[in-house]
Amino acid sequence: MLVPLVLLGEGVPERIDSGAAAGYLWLGSMGGLIAHMLWSRGIGRLPVGASAPLVLLSPLVAAVVGVALGESLNLPQTLGFVLALAAMLAAQLDAPGWGKWIGRGLR
C-alpha cells in the first residue's frame, strides 16, 4: 500500500542491493512475527472478559503516539478517545451484585 506513495514522493531508487533487500525482509518478517507471537501469547493467558476490551488499546496507543509527535485531536476525536478509554477501563471493573440484578430481571 505504501509503495505507490513512496514512488510518488521519492521516485524509483537508483538501485537496491541484496543487503538492503535482505535487511528489509528480515525487519519486516521478524518484527511482525515476534510482535504477533508476543501478542497472541499474552492474550491467550488472559480470561476472555479481560482480553476482549484490549482491542480498544491499539487505536488509543496510536492516538497517544500521534499526539506525542505533535498531532492534535479535534473534539469528536477527543470524545471518541475518552469514550474508548472509559469503555476499556469499565470492562476491567468487577461489579459486585451485577449478576444478581441481571438474574432478577430474567425471572
Side-chain angles (χ1 to χ4, degrees), residues 27-101:
L27 290 175
S29 61
M30 288 299 112
L33 179 67
I34 291 169
H36 182 71
M37 282 182 11
L38 291 175
W39 176 260
S40 296
R41 183 175 295 173
I43 290 293
R45 293 181 181 187
L46 294 173
V48 173
S51 62
L54 290 178
V55 172
L56 298 171
L57 193 58
S58 179
L60 293 177
V61 170
V64 168
V65 169
V67 168
L69 293 175
E71 295 184 22
S72 63
L73 299 176
N74 59 27
L75 183 61
Q77 291 169 332
T78 303
L79 292 175
F81 181 90
V82 170
L83 183 63
L85 183 61
M88 189 179 73
L89 294 175
Q92 301 302 316
L93 297 176
D94 184 25
W98 179 254
K100 293 178 185 176
W101 183 77

Side-chain angles (χ1 to χ4, degrees), residues 97-107:
W98 179 254
K100 293 178 185 176
W101 183 77
I102 296 274
R104 278 195 313 240
L106 295 176
R107 290 182 191 172

